């Protein structure tokens, strides 16, 4: 089961709130073929995209036919044609899945899109299992040796498909149960949009129900990890979903170091109301103009990507009480087009959120969506936020973002630490009361008690429900992104060059990417002290 090669990304990218879609090996010509089909650099307008409910019977037939052909095929050209055919079917499912998700998130009260989204969600793991089956057929085919050449899947790619598949009936049943619980969370979130967020009514009427769903999710995920042969769910998620080249143990040590180094400064900065005056009103036009001006000032591939996004109406940054309370970017592979979704709240934070998701857009635009790990992807999104401060002058936004940088290190580290620990609760200890108690203990240790905070608010962290073990990515990638900002303020253009030169990277693993980009590991000795010094200089 252990994913140890770059090629693991072929199967194991998570579909989450960020929705960086699903990816696989770019065998020669596949993405180029798509590029030619859709006009190279041109993107499909969102209004011209058509959703069609996936035909699961047709998909199964494509799988069966493809497996049948690869088992005897002796010509590499015909074999790669078969791979393309299956990839097209796989792509078609996830493209329509993403469209349904976007449309549902635009209006959680729309019963049609809720039904379509849930249909796709229910079938997601069937399609993922099909990819696993297809790769196992390729592993047993006569042309395996050629397929493991550098020009195709790469050396030893199929070793991970030689053993018994994890996708048996029991495993898929557990994944299906997880999907049902996630759907329930979305449904409760939709109902909750009618009450004041973070109010007593919100927590007592809806938060309690979300908490019960989370307990059920923790339990079923523990079973998923055990079924897959892992000692813990965090280890399973790091490996199966996130293709990380650092361990849970390394992360645990790092999270403790963040607490020791940065929590005193966090208490000092967030222990007063001084930051509240930095948050100003921002309507949709102002939010849009901020990112447009940023892209224009940066020029190059960034400005080109914004123009394409603008022309194709490939974004939604509107404010609506019917929208899903979250933001993400998704790559619609079937159209070879990225899309940005932002649930705006009418404040200056919307400008930073839009810049963040646009950073993902630029990455997918430049790389044709070939895919990197979530840690690498988040480096580009957060890097775009930081660099925006240097290309659109707004003192309030700048100080607000640097304060948010501090909170990202500390708060996301607290969330990540909570996730590392919550999956160890079992039996009588796995209750809503015990979960909240654990969350309160950990977050208090990270300084949350210095501000207005409700220990029930873990139900508001959608990633806990929909993208388990994701939030550590925000912490480590924030460090890489902040390095770009430190470069930029030290030498104009240096940070921007670093970002632009790496938008099309094929380095999937985070630490490997950092080395190739000339960035330090967040785990490097003295790195957090350097971060603290820069933050103290700016925040005072």
């Amino acid at each position: 089961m252990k994913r140890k090669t770059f090629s693991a990304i072929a199967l194991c990218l998570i579909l989450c709130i960020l929705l960086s879609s699903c990816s696989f090996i770019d065998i020669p010509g596949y993405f180029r073929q798509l590029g030619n089909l859709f006009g190279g650099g041109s993107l499909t307008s969102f209004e011209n995209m058509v959703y069609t409910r996936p035909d699961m019977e047709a998909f199964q037939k494509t799988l069966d036919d493809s497996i049948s052909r690869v088992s005897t095929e002796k010509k590499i050209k015909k074999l790669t044609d078969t791979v393309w055919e299956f990839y097209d079917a796989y792509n078609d499912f996830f493209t329509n899945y993403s469209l349904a998700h976007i449309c549902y998130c635009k209006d959680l009260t729309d019963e049609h899109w809720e039904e379509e989204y849930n249909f796709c969600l229910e079938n997601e793991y069937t399609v993922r299992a099909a990819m696993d089956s297809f790769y196992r057929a390729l592993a047993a085919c006569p042309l395996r040796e050629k397929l493991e050449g550098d020009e195709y899947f790469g050396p030893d790619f199929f070793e991970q498909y030689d053993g018994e598949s994890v996708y048996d009936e029991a495993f898929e049943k557990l994944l299906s149960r997880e999907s049902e619980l996630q759907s329930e969370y979305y449904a409760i979130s939709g109902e909750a949009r009618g009450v004041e967020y973070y109010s007593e009514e919100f927590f007592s009427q809806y938060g309690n129900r979300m908490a019960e769903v989370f307990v059920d999710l923790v339990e079923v995920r523990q079973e998923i990890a055990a079924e897959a042969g892992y000692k813990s769910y965090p280890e399973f998620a790091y490996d199966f979903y996130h293709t990380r080249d650092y361990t849970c143990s390394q992360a645990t040590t790092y999270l403790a170091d963040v607490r020791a180094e940065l929590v005193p400064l966090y208490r000092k900065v967030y222990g007063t109301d001084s930051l509240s005056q930095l948050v100003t009103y921002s309507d949709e036009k102002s939010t849009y103009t901020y990112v447009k001006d940023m892209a224009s000032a940066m020029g190059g591939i960034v400005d080109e990507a914004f123009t394409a996004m603008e022309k194709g109406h490939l974004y939604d940054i509107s404010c609506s009480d019917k929208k899903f309370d979250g933001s993400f970017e998704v790559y619609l592979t079937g159209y070879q087009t990225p899309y940005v979704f932002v649930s705006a709240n009418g404040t200056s934070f919307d400008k930073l959120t839009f810049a963040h998701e646009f950073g993902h857009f630029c990455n997918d635009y430049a790389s044709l969506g070939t895919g990197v790990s979530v840690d690498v992807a988040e480096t580009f999104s957060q890097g775009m936020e930081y660099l925006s401060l240097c290309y659109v002058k707004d003192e309030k936004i700048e100080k607000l973002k640097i304060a948010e940088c501090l909170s990202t290190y500390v708060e996301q580290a607290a969330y990540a630490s909570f996730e590392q620990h919550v999956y160890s609760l079992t039996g009588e200890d796995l209750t809503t009361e015990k979960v909240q108690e654990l969350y309160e203990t950990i977050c208090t240790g990270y300084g949350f008690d210095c501000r207005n905070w409700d220990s029930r608010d873990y139900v508001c962290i959608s990633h806990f429900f929909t993208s388990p073990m994701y939030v550590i990515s925000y912490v480590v990638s924030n460090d890489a992104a902040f390095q770009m900002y430190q470069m930029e303020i030290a030498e104009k253009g240096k940070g921007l060059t670093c970002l632009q030169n790496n938008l099309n990277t094929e380095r999937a693993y985070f630490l490997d990417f950092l080395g190739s980009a000339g960035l330090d590991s967040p785990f490097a000795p003295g790195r957090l002290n350097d971060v603290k010094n820069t933050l103290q200089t700016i925040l005072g």
Side-chain angles (χ1 to χ4, degrees):
M1 272 298 302
K2 296 291 184 181
R3 268 63 179 171
K4 296 181 179 178
T5 68
F6 161 74
S7 302
I9 204 168
L11 177 63
C12 300
L13 290 187
I14 191 172
L15 182 69
C16 59
I17 291 302
L18 175 64
L19 272 179
S20 293
S21 196
C22 295
S23 190
F24 33 71
I25 293 299
D26 181 17
I27 63 173
Y30 183 76
F31 287 101
R32 183 169 64 252
Q33 182 186 60
L34 286 181
N36 292 335
L37 180 63
F38 294 106
S42 63
L43 301 181
T44 303
S45 296
F46 187 72
E47 61 189 17
N48 292 331
M49 296 181 188
V50 178
Y51 170 81
T52 303
R53 175 180 279 207
D55 185 335
M56 298 311 298
E57 289 186 6
F59 179 84
Q60 184 62 46
K61 186 177 186 306
T62 298
L63 173 66
D64 293 341
D65 290 347
S66 298
I67 288 177
S68 176
R69 289 199 298 273
V70 303
S71 64
T72 58
E73 185 57 61
K74 296 181 179 180
K75 293 184 178 181
I76 192 68
K77 174 63 169 62
K78 288 187 177 180
L79 182 59
T80 56
D81 285 345
T82 299
V83 175
W84 282 338
E85 183 179 337
F86 179 75
Y87 275 3
D88 285 341
Y90 186 87
N91 256 335
D92 182 70
F93 174 85
F94 279 102
T95 297
N96 283 295
Y97 186 3
S98 296
L99 284 172
H101 183 266
I102 291 169
C103 293
Y104 179 41
C105 286
K106 285 174 176 285
D107 184 356
L108 293 179
T109 68
D110 190 313
E111 294 181 358
H112 167 72
W113 286 116
E114 179 181 16
E115 181 179 350
E116 294 306 310
Y117 171 72
N118 284 333
F119 174 84
C120 294
L121 181 64
E122 289 164 6
N123 285 285
E124 174 189 355
Y125 290 109
T126 297
V127 178
R128 290 188 185 278
M131 177 68 89
D132 183 80
S133 298
F134 183 61
Y135 281 153
R136 289 180 186 280
L138 290 174
C141 80
L143 295 174
R144 169 172 172 166
E145 186 175 346
K146 287 188 177 181
L147 287 178
E148 289 190 319
D150 290 334
E151 69 274 30
Y152 296 108
F153 288 86
D156 304 322
F157 173 76
F158 291 108
E159 281 188 1
Q160 59 191 311
Y161 298 103
D162 284 332
E164 183 179 348
S165 174
V166 69
Y167 282 99
D168 57 18
E169 183 177 351
F171 188 69
E172 290 191 46
K173 186 176 180 180
L174 290 170
L175 295 178
S176 178
R177 176 56 180 154
E178 182 185 30
S179 294
E180 290 172 1
L181 290 168
Q182 289 173 326
S183 293
E184 188 175 344
Y185 173 70
Y186 271 108
I188 298 171
S189 297
E191 294 176 37
R193 294 307 296 262
V195 303
E196 182 183 351
Y197 180 71
Y198 218 80
S199 64
E200 182 59 37
E201 182 182 3
F202 174 89
F203 285 117
S204 61
Q205 189 170 344
Y206 300 103
N208 288 342
R209 290 166 58 193
M210 293 175 179
E212 291 172 359
V213 170
F214 184 65
V215 166
D216 290 341
L217 275 170
V218 170
E219 184 173 23
V220 76
R221 285 169 178 164
Q222 290 169 336
E223 294 180 41
I224 287 171
E227 183 69 25
Y230 285 78
K231 293 181 179 179
S232 72
Y233 184 78
E235 290 177 330
F236 166 81
Y238 267 48
D239 193 29
F240 193 74
Y241 290 133
H242 301 299
T243 57
R244 289 178 172 137
D245 56 349
Y246 55 90
T247 66
C248 288
S249 178
Q250 281 179 286
T252 299
T253 299
Y254 178 67
L255 296 174
D257 290 343
V258 169
R259 183 178 60 205
E261 286 280 359
L262 299 180
V263 167
L265 179 60
Y266 178 84
R267 287 186 176 279
K268 176 183 177 182
V269 172
Y270 282 88
T272 68
D273 293 329
S274 60
L275 295 176
S276 61
Q277 60 185 334
L278 300 176
V279 182
T280 58
Y281 172 75
S282 179
D283 58 19
E284 186 174 337
K285 182 179 179 180
S286 299
T287 297
Y288 176 82
T289 300
Y290 179 84
V291 177
K292 181 179 176 64
D293 289 349
M294 173 203 74
S296 178
M298 289 181 176
I301 189 70
V302 175
D303 191 36
E304 180 184 326
F306 188 90
T307 299
M309 182 183 70
E310 181 180 47
K311 183 178 180 180
H313 303 288
L314 299 169
Y315 63 95
D316 180 345
I317 59 172
S318 63
C319 186
S320 169
D321 60 5
K322 293 183 178 181
K323 292 176 72 174
F324 174 69
D325 186 20
S327 301
F328 57 84
E329 180 267 1
V330 59
Y331 190 76
L332 298 147
T333 312
Y335 294 103
Q336 214 166 10
T337 297
Y339 185 89
V340 165
F341 178 92
V342 172
S343 183
N345 58 27
T347 72
S348 46
F349 279 111
D350 292 342
K351 297 176 180 179
L352 296 171
T353 302
F354 188 24
H356 179 104
E357 300 305 339
F358 176 65
H360 285 304
F361 187 101
C362 287
N363 176 212
D364 272 336
Y365 177 84
S367 67
L368 298 180
T370 51
V372 290
S373 68
V374 293
D375 303 306
V376 176
E378 286 298 335
T379 297
F380 296 124
S381 58
Q382 296 191 83
M384 192 67 74
E385 286 188 72
Y386 288 117
L387 293 176
S388 76
L389 309 179
C390 304
Y391 288 86
V392 181
K393 291 302 179 182
D394 185 323
E395 291 184 5
K396 285 188 175 182
I397 285 284
E398 183 172 19
K399 192 162 187 178
L400 186 66
K401 177 56 192 173
I402 299 306
E404 188 187 48
C405 171
L406 173 60
S407 73
T408 297
Y409 274 109
V410 173
E411 293 174 18
Q412 298 300 326
Y415 299 151
S417 181
F418 168 68
E419 281 198 298
Q420 296 276 16
H421 288 84
V422 74
Y423 287 97
S424 65
L425 297 180
T426 58
E428 295 181 355
D429 288 331
L430 184 53
T431 65
T432 57
E433 293 78 15
K434 291 290 187 180
V435 168
Q436 184 181 338
E437 181 181 323
L438 174 66
Y439 180 73
E440 183 171 358
T441 298
I442 289 175
C443 291
T444 299
Y446 279 84
F448 283 31
D449 55 320
C450 77
R451 57 179 175 79
N452 183 26
W453 168 66
D454 192 310
S455 63
R456 294 173 291 180
D457 74 359
Y458 70 91
V459 301
C460 303
I461 313 300
S462 61
H463 286 70
F464 292 162
F465 294 82
T466 62
S467 309
M469 309 311 298
Y470 186 103
V471 292
I472 181 66
S473 294
Y474 288 125
V475 189
V476 296
S477 62
N478 182 64
D479 187 86
F482 192 57
Q483 288 182 57
M484 293 182 184
Y485 174 75
Q486 290 176 307
M487 288 179 179
E488 188 69 26
I489 58 177
E491 181 181 336
K492 181 72 172 179
K494 188 174 182 180
L496 176 60
T497 297
C498 181
L499 181 139
Q500 289 186 322
N501 286 349
N502 288 285
L503 283 172
N504 63 348
T505 183
E506 294 183 355
R507 304 267 185 166
Y509 286 116
F510 182 60
L511 298 182
D512 178 50
F513 163 74
L514 293 181
S516 69
L519 298 169
D520 294 330
S521 165
F523 311 134
R527 174 60 196 152
L528 280 171
N529 185 62
D530 183 44
V531 168
K532 180 175 65 176
N533 290 337
T534 300
L535 292 174
Q536 285 178 327
T537 298
I538 297 173
L539 296 174

